[in-house]
Amino acid sequence: RKEVEQDPGPFNVPEGATVAFNCTYSNSASQSFFWYRQDCRKEPKLLMSVYSSGNEDGRFTAQLNRASQYISLLIRDSKLSDSATYLCVVNRAGNTPLVFGKGTRLSVIA
Amino acid sequence: DTAVSQTPKYLVTQMGNDKSIKCEQNLGHDTMYWYKQDSKKFLKIMFSYNNKELIINETVPNRFSPKSPDKAHLNLHINSLELGDSAVYFCASSPDLTDTQYFGPGTRLTVL
């Protein structure tokens, strides 16, 4: 099983749609979880951290399921500007660096 | 006010040449990284430095040599460049290993 696995997509959705991405991780001792966003030909940027109790930032909601070892990202009311690649990021265990998933590509269509 | 900066932004060079990429962060972070993102867009960690000391080397060929003159800088020198080295190289920094990372704008290396 890969350390961090994501569906590569692409997800093509109309404006206003709700879309959800899942990401699974292999190391049950992982403690840090994030979603990053990467626009075409740009650097990855932090979208949001993922907390055990789940967290929301505007139209974005992140959830963590430790029992099943997955994290999710829900985007409500999709905008054209949400088109990007979304990277799931997890640390391995203990004091180790983050591991980036290969990303899920989202295209929001007018 | 740029947080993580890299130079150059673009680098086009011939096979066999030696080149360097520079990275600087003004965030006061202790940890810095180099990543390689190839044509398949997979972001792979190459090196990690904490307080100027190498802590991670992810089976990168020894043609790649990072150097950290101080906490705010992590440079990458590449010897005898090969076609397969063509990629985008990102520098990043974070307060510590498990914390949020902030990326530089990337250096697009093309080896001809």
Side-chain angles (χ1 to χ4, degrees):
Chain A
R1 187 179 181 181
K2 290 181 183 168
E3 287 187 280
V4 179
E5 249 180 304
Q6 295 182 250
D7 181 343
F11 284 61
N12 299 314
V13 303
E15 267 187 295
T18 295
V19 61
F21 309 134
N22 279 343
C23 162
T24 58
Y25 60 95
S26 60
N27 194 324
S28 60
S30 296
Q31 294 294 324
S32 303
F33 307 90
F34 307 90
W35 282 103
Y36 275 67
R37 170 194 169 128
Q38 186 172 21
D39 292 289
C40 189
R41 301 179 79 86
K42 296 282 189 182
E43 71 273 24
K45 290 185 179 175
L46 177 69
L47 179 66
M48 57 198 302
S49 303
V50 185
Y51 302 120
S52 298
S53 53
N55 47 300
E56 195 173 299
D57 183 1
R59 297 181 293 109
F60 298 84
T61 301
Q63 298 273 351
L64 167 64
N65 185 318
R66 284 192 187 275
S68 302
Q69 292 180 214
Y70 77 82
I71 67 173
S72 63
L73 177 68
L74 182 79
I75 306 175
R76 288 181 299 278
D77 189 22
S78 299
K79 312 285 183 199
L80 294 175
S81 57
D82 294 335
S83 297
T85 297
Y86 291 84
L87 303 168
C88 171
V89 186
V90 178
N91 83 309
R92 287 168 177 153
N95 196 29
T96 58
L98 305 180
V99 178
F100 284 74
K102 292 190 178 184
T104 298
R105 197 151 61 91
L106 171 67
S107 289
V108 181
I109 305 157
Chain B
D1 196 20
T2 308
V4 183
S5 58
Q6 294 178 230
T7 53
K9 194 166 182 184
Y10 298 96
L11 189 50
V12 181
T13 189
Q14 300 284 338
M15 260 197 322
N17 283 351
D18 303 338
K19 290 292 177 187
S20 290
I21 309 172
K22 294 188 175 181
C23 177
E24 177 181 1
Q25 54 99 0
N26 62 8
L27 297 167
H29 289 164
D30 284 345
T31 310
M32 295 185 73
Y33 312 81
W34 276 109
Y35 285 87
K36 178 180 180 181
Q37 189 169 45
D38 58 26
S39 56
K40 293 181 181 172
K41 306 299 181 189
F42 180 40
L43 194 66
K44 187 171 179 183
I45 191 168
M46 299 172 70
F47 300 103
S48 177
Y49 269 71
N50 190 59
N51 278 316
K52 301 193 301 173
E53 288 194 20
L54 178 67
I55 50 173
I56 290 171
N57 178 343
E58 291 281 328
T59 60
V60 177
N62 57 15
R63 296 184 296 105
F64 291 79
S65 50
K67 194 163 279 186
S68 182
D70 55 59
K71 249 176 48 165
H73 295 84
L74 181 62
N75 304 323
L76 183 66
H77 187 77
I78 316 170
N79 288 328
S80 304
L81 277 155
E82 299 176 358
L83 293 176
D85 297 333
S86 296
V88 181
Y89 292 83
F90 287 104
C91 176
S93 75
S94 63
D96 61 50
L97 263 182
T98 62
D99 214 334
T100 307
Q101 293 181 16
Y102 297 84
F103 284 78
T107 295
R108 189 170 293 273
L109 171 66
T110 303
V111 182
L112 303 174

